[in-house]
Amino acid sequence: MPARTHGRPRDSRTHAAILSATVALIVDAGYGALTIVGVAARAGVGKDAIYRRWSGKPELVYEAVFTSADADPIPDTGTLIGDVTILVERLVDEFAAPAAAVALPGLLADFADQPALRMRIREDLLAGVKARLVEVFDRAAARGELVADVPVELILDSLAGTVLFHVGLVGAPVTPELPRHLAAMVVTGIKTR
Amino acid sequence: MPARTHGRPRDSRTHAAILSATVALIVDAGYGALTIVGVAARAGVGKDAIYRRWSGKPELVYEAVFTSADADPIPDTGTLIGDVTILVERLVDEFAAPAAAVALPGLLADFADQPALRMRIREDLLAGVKARLVEVFDRAAARGELVADVPVELILDSLAGTVLFHVGLVGAPVTPELPRHLAAMVVTGIKTR
């Protein structure tokens, strides 16, 4: 028991050291050049310490670059458009963060052949955003803002896809208005009669 | 002059043979395994014939997998939502075509470090879709369907990003309803009061 109790903090420091070495190497040299051996050297651990925790480079990088979303509180501005704007701002922050922006295209390419990994993009990267969207729509329904069922999966793919495409793939600049404009489009559509 | 006149059809046959060899190799073996030498062998040409036309593998693959959109007529169903649905169906067909779906993640990864190539995604792959969207919105405005200016670039990124994310990256199945649902979301938004 004492050994196990002592072991945990060291284990968690090792874990954190590996993740931060991974982020630093991605920012320095890009996703393509990153190797498990290189991460081990930078983190000051053996490569076995990495392989015990992650089955390969894509899994390691995935965890290193996408970390924050689940800790954020659910927005509650009083309007659907206000809440969705905040959720989009967080997606922009997540995808536009230096390590994520550098890693994403290569990471997605490595994920492409592996259906189980691709599923994780939706099921765990976006699960936090989805839970927040559902809550935000439930509140809007309770306020009487919504008149129909909301296609949550489609909205999630649209918000994530637009941000990913705009920021991560085309590399278009992120303007401060982007989250609000995107939220407005999804919530109210193009203004039609 | 006669030499030039005779030269063109042969040149255009060579061009087509290279593009179809590229598509066949992508479908057979994936983007990562494709080499210029392999394409040359399959097309029955020297590799110089390829390098005279394309500066590298991403440029060649890009042209080979994205070919059709500009030839399609502008939809004119009489309603904005009907027209946008058709444009989304074409994006789905384009991104879900076997060679495109296989090549996209790797192609985007190779494009990531090259701003000039990234720009082409928007400026030429999507230019045809954008011209069609503008025409479709102009007609909707003439019919009195629109009450405000339309953020065409944002809509384009949203439609392309959603389709790319849904089909190309997450690998979600394409349901027949997807184009209509996505068009409805963009045109009318989530149904709000």
Side-chain angles (χ1 to χ4, degrees):
Chain A
M1 281 303 172
R4 214 173 141 203
T5 312
H6 285 172
R8 277 178 178 170
R10 195 179 68 184
D11 190 67
S12 124
R13 282 197 308 273
T14 302
H15 194 97
I18 294 167
L19 293 179
S20 71
T22 303
V23 167
L25 283 173
I26 288 168
V27 172
D28 282 359
Y31 177 82
L34 183 129
T35 61
I36 298 288
V37 172
V39 172
R42 180 130 180 181
V45 302
K47 69 184 163 60
D48 290 351
I50 298 179
Y51 282 117
R52 263 200 307 279
R53 293 171 173 85
W54 295 276
S55 48
K57 169 174 160 177
E59 292 83 353
L60 169 62
V61 170
Y62 177 90
E63 186 173 333
V65 303
F66 297 114
T67 49
S68 60
D70 283 357
D72 296 325
I74 300 174
D76 190 9
T77 61
T79 65
L80 179 58
I81 196 166
D83 292 351
V84 174
T85 300
I86 291 173
L87 293 175
V88 176
E89 283 168 354
R90 288 184 194 158
L91 278 173
V92 170
D93 289 347
E94 184 118 27
F95 288 136
V102 171
L104 255 174
L107 192 59
L108 292 170
D110 279 354
F111 273 33
D113 299 330
Q114 305 185 49
L117 282 179
R118 299 219 292 194
M119 211 92 88
R120 288 190 58 184
I121 299 175
R122 201 172 192 165
E123 289 180 3
D124 56 65
L125 172 58
L126 295 179
V129 187
K130 185 179 173 183
R132 283 159 181 71
L133 271 177
V134 168
E135 171 73 28
V136 153
F137 290 132
D138 283 349
R139 286 200 196 121
R143 283 190 304 263
E145 274 192 86
L146 295 175
V147 295
D149 279 348
V150 170
V152 177
E153 290 281 342
L154 178 64
I155 292 167
L156 185 63
D157 284 2
S158 297
L159 298 176
T162 308
V163 171
L164 180 67
F165 187 80
H166 189 87
V167 175
L169 300 179
V170 181
V174 182
T175 60
E177 296 80 27
L178 175 70
R180 190 168 44 83
H181 288 172
L182 179 54
M185 192 189 72
V186 169
V187 172
T188 64
I190 299 160
K191 295 285 183 189
T192 52
R193 290 187 198 282
Chain B
M1 281 304 170
R4 217 175 138 200
T5 313
H6 286 173
R8 277 176 178 171
R10 196 178 66 185
D11 190 66
S12 124
R13 281 197 309 273
T14 302
H15 194 96
I18 294 167
L19 293 180
S20 72
T22 303
V23 167
L25 283 173
I26 289 169
V27 172
D28 282 358
Y31 178 83
L34 183 130
T35 62
I36 297 289
V37 172
V39 173
R42 180 131 180 177
V45 303
K47 68 184 165 59
D48 290 351
I50 298 179
Y51 282 117
R52 263 200 307 278
R53 292 170 173 86
W54 295 277
S55 49
K57 168 175 159 177
E59 292 83 353
L60 168 62
V61 171
Y62 178 90
E63 188 173 333
V65 301
F66 297 115
T67 49
S68 61
D70 283 357
D72 296 325
I74 300 175
D76 190 10
T77 61
T79 66
L80 179 57
I81 196 165
D83 291 351
V84 173
T85 299
I86 291 173
L87 293 175
V88 176
E89 283 168 354
R90 289 185 194 158
L91 278 172
V92 169
D93 289 346
E94 184 118 28
F95 287 137
V102 172
L104 255 174
L107 191 60
L108 291 170
D110 279 354
F111 273 33
D113 299 331
Q114 305 187 50
L117 282 179
R118 299 221 291 195
M119 213 93 87
R120 288 189 58 184
I121 299 176
R122 201 171 192 164
E123 289 180 4
D124 53 68
L125 173 58
L126 294 180
V129 187
K130 185 177 172 183
R132 282 158 181 73
L133 272 177
V134 167
E135 170 72 27
V136 153
F137 290 133
D138 284 349
R139 285 198 198 125
R143 284 190 301 263
E145 275 194 84
L146 295 174
V147 297
D149 279 349
V150 170
V152 178
E153 290 281 341
L154 178 63
I155 292 166
L156 185 63
D157 283 3
S158 297
L159 297 177
T162 306
V163 172
L164 179 66
F165 186 80
H166 190 86
V167 176
L169 300 178
V170 180
V174 182
T175 61
E177 297 79 28
L178 176 71
R180 190 170 43 86
H181 288 173
L182 180 54
M185 191 188 72
V186 168
V187 172
T188 64
I190 299 161
K191 296 286 182 186
T192 54
R193 290 187 198 284

